[in-house]
């Protein structure tokens, strides 16, 4: 499935957040969006997922939806967004209960999602009994249970410690290796973008405009190889050069506020 | 290739400079549980109270000793009047509280999720909530008669407004990210209300129950003092008029135990329903 964004503008009262965004997320591609704080990355994701109404512009999807897909565009949230009063398996069940599935199919989807994320033994646990990394795995399993055509990931690793982040990046890599699910991945972490994305979109500071789109040529599974490191370091420098000055300004603005 | 041995930096073998133990400077005013302190304080209070009468420091008419209050209570239990009064009060509290709670939750829900209902409701609730409900009892007697309906209305009206406030505040406190998550997965509106808003608001609603149960208890006594033959409030008023202070305090003790029982039931309910917290 492709996501086509045309001439997108968004404002909160007088504050223009996004301006003239034209962007296509290609089928099977992982597109990372980076930019300084407050550049509208999360707003862009919210608009793409239909939970924020844009001020102007169009968002459209095109292409095939996989068999058994219940929610073509599916979010994975930064704060996991799990219901604390439901067990792990009931959190997955929540997103299936309003679909006309047989009990057996619902169970199969829950079990397959939990097993893939290594959570089967924790299916009866409440979210408060899990670590941050495991909670995010529940969030991923919940997304997988609806067999999405496109994932929208809103800084999914930013609330986690470095080791957990590394482990979850490996989970994402194997997920994309297997499923080739299209993904729009918002992050402020350049290393995450370089490790996971096919292309990286750089947004400018408010109002968020497209500054540059950088393609990462190295195949995802070879990016940790020593041969890829030199080029990736160059790309990283370039990305950092693009956002450094504006990130500093944004940081000062936050400090002043 | 053989493993390269890791180099390590060794610590100095003996540090001969004088050492001082690090002093504990406090754990942040952590509250410790003292299980028996409350019971002990209670026993001491009763003992002091009893001895003031025994030693003739206070007249029994002004403050009857705990033993006299207990005897009065036992006599009431034996002749059946305690159950008659208690039954009447419990029935009024039950009916009035349920009426006020059901209506209050319905309005609170509407105000919690509907912007028009909130715009209309907030000023009205702010205007009516501070009115002392017992002041309206004569009006309710005029509308509903001297019988039970006017007492139900007084209690229901008193319970209604705090329930409205507790419910819509509780709905406000449901994390919006959970609702957005549900919307992003396409959950229907009714499912979002039932599966996310209601359970998410439950802690606040139950906290509201605690307050409204106490209000119901206060209002039932007040209502019974104005126009009732039976009920703990009526009993306390009669005892006071006849200067039977031991019976008066026995009635007060029953009210206190009633409040304690309601609080205990709500605590059990909270423990069962809010295990996830």
């Amino acid at each position: 499935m492709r996501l086509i964004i045309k001439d997108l503008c968004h404002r909160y009262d007088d504050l223009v957040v996004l301006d003239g965004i034209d962007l296509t997320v290609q089928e099977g591609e992982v597109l990372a969006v980076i930019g300084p704080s407050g550049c509208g990355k999360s707003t862009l994701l919210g608009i793409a997922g239909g939970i924020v109404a844009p001020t102007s512009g169009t968002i459209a999807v095109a292409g095939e939806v996989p068999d058994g897909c219940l929610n073509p565009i599916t979010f994975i949230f930064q704060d996991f967004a799990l219901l604390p009063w439901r067990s792990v398996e009931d959190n997955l069940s929540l997103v299936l209960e309003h679909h006309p599935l047989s009990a057996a199919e619902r169970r199969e989807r829950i079990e397959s999602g939990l097993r893939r994320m290594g959570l089967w033994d924790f299916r009866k646990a409440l979210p408060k009994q899990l670590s941050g990394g495991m909670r995010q795995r529940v969030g991923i399993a919940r997304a997988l249970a609806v067999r999405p055509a496109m994932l929208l990931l809103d800084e999914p690793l930013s609330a986690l410690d470095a080791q957990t982040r590394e482990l979850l990046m490996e989970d994402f890599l194997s997920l994309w290796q297997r499923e080739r699910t299209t993904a729009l991945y918002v992050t402020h972490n350049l290393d995450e973008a370089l490790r996971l994305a096919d292309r990286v979109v750089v947004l400018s500071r408010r109002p968020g405009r497209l500054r540059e789109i950088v393609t990462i040529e190295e195949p995802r599974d070879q990016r940790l190889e020593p041969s890829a490191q030199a080029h990736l370091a160059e790309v990283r420098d370039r990305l950092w050069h693009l956002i450094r000055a504006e990130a500093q300004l944004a940081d000062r603005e936050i400090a002043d506020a | 290739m053989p493993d390269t041995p890791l180099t390590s930096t060794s610590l100095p073998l003996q540090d001969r400079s004088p050492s001082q133990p690090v002093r504990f400077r406090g754990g942040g005013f952590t509250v410790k549980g003292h299980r028996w302190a409350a019971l002990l304080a209670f026993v001491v209070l009763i003992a002091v109270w009893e001895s003031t009468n025994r030693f003739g420091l206070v007249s029994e008419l002004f403050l009857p000793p705990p033993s006299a209050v207990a005897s009065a209570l036992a006599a009431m239990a034996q002749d059946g009047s305690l159950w008659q009064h208690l039954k009447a009060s419990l029935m009024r509290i039950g009916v009035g509280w349920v009426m006020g709670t059901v209506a209050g939750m319905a309005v609170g829900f509407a105000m919690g999720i509907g912007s028009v209902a909130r715009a209309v409701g907030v000023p009205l609730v702010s205007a009516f909530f501070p009115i002392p409900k017992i002041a309206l009892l004569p009006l309710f007697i005029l509308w509903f008669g001297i019988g039970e309906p006017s007492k139900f209305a007084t209690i229901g009206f008193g319970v209604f407004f705090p329930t409205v406030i507790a419910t819509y505040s509780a709905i406000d406190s449901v994390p919006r990210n959970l609702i957005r998550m549900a919307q992003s997965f396409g959950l229907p509106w009714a499912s979002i209300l039932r599966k996310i808003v209601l359970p998410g608001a439950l802690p606040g609603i139950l906290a509201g129950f605690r307050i409204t149960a106490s209000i119901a208890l206060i209002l039932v006594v007040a209502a019974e003092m104005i126009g009732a033959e039976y009920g703990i409030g009526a009993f306390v008023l009669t005892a006071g008029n006849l200067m039977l202070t031991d019976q008066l305090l026995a009635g007060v003790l029953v009210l206190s135990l009633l409040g304690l029982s309601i609080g205990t039931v709500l605590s059990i309910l909270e423990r069962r329903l809010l295990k996830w917290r």
Side-chain angles (χ1 to χ4, degrees):
Chain A
M1 181 188 254
R2 282 180 298 138
L3 180 78
I4 305 139
I5 300 170
K6 276 193 182 155
D7 200 20
L8 178 74
C9 296
H10 190 70
R11 56 173 67 226
Y12 292 111
D13 298 323
D14 291 337
L15 184 72
V16 182
V17 182
L18 291 168
D19 187 30
I21 305 286
D22 282 301
L23 189 65
T24 299
V25 188
Q26 299 295 348
E27 179 138 18
E29 173 185 45
V30 178
L31 184 77
V33 180
I34 62 166
S37 297
C39 72
K41 302 185 289 282
S42 294
T43 303
L44 176 66
L45 207 68
I47 292 171
I51 57 171
V52 176
T55 307
S56 65
T58 58
I59 313 282
V61 287
E64 295 281 306
V65 167
D67 286 343
C69 171
L70 300 175
N71 191 50
I73 300 177
T74 296
F75 276 90
I76 292 177
F77 297 89
Q78 179 181 8
D79 55 11
F80 327 128
L82 302 176
L83 302 187
W85 51 88
R86 282 191 172 222
S87 67
V88 165
E89 64 182 348
D90 287 347
N91 264 284
L92 266 68
S93 175
L94 175 85
V95 299
L96 303 173
E97 285 161 5
H98 60 290
H99 293 287
L101 300 174
S102 66
E105 191 181 349
R106 192 185 301 166
R107 266 200 310 277
E108 189 278 319
R109 280 174 182 255
I110 293 170
E111 183 171 345
S112 131
L114 290 177
R115 286 201 187 279
R116 277 166 68 182
M117 298 315 297
L119 289 165
W120 181 245
D121 292 340
F122 299 92
R123 61 190 181 280
K124 300 286 181 202
L126 288 171
K128 72 171 181 184
Q129 297 168 307
L130 304 177
S131 67
M134 286 171 83
R135 286 182 209 178
Q136 190 54 291
R137 285 200 177 91
V138 179
I140 299 167
R142 178 179 61 192
L144 297 179
V146 294
R147 311 223 168 116
M150 173 176 292
L151 284 173
L152 303 180
L153 302 102
D154 187 6
E155 304 201 25
L157 308 181
S158 66
L160 306 174
D161 63 77
Q163 288 173 9
T164 312
R165 207 178 303 155
E166 195 63 34
L167 291 170
L168 273 171
M169 264 199 274
E170 286 172 12
D171 287 342
F172 281 136
L173 285 169
S174 63
L175 172 72
W176 283 316
Q177 206 75 22
R178 266 197 322 261
E179 316 270 336
R180 310 290 309 158
T181 311
T182 311
L184 185 57
Y185 190 106
V186 163
T187 181
H188 62 268
N189 186 317
L190 297 184
D191 295 320
E192 265 174 47
L194 286 169
R195 182 92 175 269
L196 301 173
D198 296 300
R199 289 190 298 156
V200 181
V201 171
V202 183
L203 289 186
S204 66
R205 193 166 161 259
R206 207 178 299 137
R209 294 193 179 103
L210 278 192
R211 265 193 92 173
E212 195 159 327
I213 300 179
V214 176
T215 303
I216 304 173
E217 306 290 352
E218 282 74 14
R220 261 197 294 272
D221 57 351
Q222 290 170 24
R223 288 184 194 170
L224 290 180
E225 303 291 325
S227 55
Q229 292 301 306
H231 182 243
L232 286 176
E234 267 176 44
V235 178
R236 191 186 193 288
D237 283 347
R238 190 160 144 220
L239 291 173
W240 180 231
H241 174 74
L242 284 167
I243 62 169
R244 188 176 187 277
E246 292 191 329
Q248 269 180 336
L249 278 174
D251 186 48
R252 276 183 206 143
E253 190 180 80
I254 292 164
D256 290 345
Chain B
M1 199 176 95
D3 288 345
T4 317
L6 293 171
T7 53
S8 65
T9 313
S10 57
L11 292 166
L13 283 176
Q14 265 192 328
D15 185 352
R16 290 177 195 283
S17 58
S19 66
Q20 247 188 336
V22 176
R23 189 171 59 88
F24 177 65
R25 287 181 283 186
F29 292 165
T30 313
V31 177
K32 290 176 188 164
H34 294 285
R35 270 183 153 192
W36 302 106
L39 189 66
L40 187 69
F42 194 68
V43 170
V44 169
L45 183 74
I46 300 275
V48 169
W49 179 6
E50 183 73 35
S51 47
T52 52
N53 288 104
R54 292 276 161 108
F55 294 117
L57 298 174
V58 180
S59 151
E60 256 195 46
L61 180 67
F62 290 113
L63 186 65
S67 53
V69 175
S71 304
L73 196 62
M76 279 172 71
Q78 263 179 351
D79 68 18
S81 61
L82 173 64
W83 315 118
Q84 204 168 20
H85 291 300
L86 198 56
K87 204 171 107 186
S89 292
L90 281 176
M91 190 265 292
R92 288 173 191 134
I93 291 175
V95 174
W97 186 84
V98 168
M99 276 168 47
T101 298
V102 169
M105 279 183 68
V107 174
F109 249 89
M111 283 168 64
I113 57 173
S115 40
V116 176
R118 178 171 299 208
V120 174
V122 169
L124 285 178
V125 169
S126 305
F128 283 102
F129 181 45
I131 297 173
K133 307 303 174 292
I134 200 66
L136 296 175
L137 185 59
L139 199 62
F140 288 143
I141 290 174
L142 201 65
W143 290 348
F144 304 115
I146 191 77
E148 297 303 318
S150 58
K151 294 174 187 63
F152 298 154
T154 308
I155 297 166
F157 200 62
V159 164
F160 174 78
F161 291 104
T163 306
V164 170
I165 293 169
T167 305
Y168 91 73
S169 308
I171 289 172
D172 270 355
S173 68
V174 176
R176 286 299 179 263
N177 66 330
L178 296 182
I179 297 173
R180 273 195 291 275
M181 177 276 295
Q183 288 174 326
S184 81
F185 278 97
L187 263 78
W189 185 82
S191 290
I192 293 177
L193 276 192
R194 192 162 51 85
K195 295 174 184 172
I196 294 171
V197 176
L198 183 60
L202 203 56
I205 293 173
L206 288 179
F209 283 3
R210 216 171 258 286
I211 296 166
T212 55
S214 306
I215 291 174
L217 198 60
I218 294 165
L219 286 175
V220 76
V221 173
E224 286 171 351
M225 282 181 169
I226 290 180
E229 190 181 349
Y230 296 110
I232 301 294
F235 172 77
V236 167
L237 183 73
T238 311
N241 288 342
L242 298 173
M243 301 293 273
L244 300 169
T245 47
D246 55 343
Q247 290 196 14
L248 185 148
L249 283 183
V252 170
L253 182 64
V254 171
L255 288 171
S256 169
L257 292 174
L258 200 55
L260 197 66
S261 311
I262 292 171
T264 308
V265 169
L266 285 170
S267 295
I268 293 168
L269 204 62
E270 275 179 343
R271 269 203 299 278
R272 291 246 167 117
L273 295 174
L274 307 177
K275 264 190 225 161
W276 51 272
R277 286 208 297 185

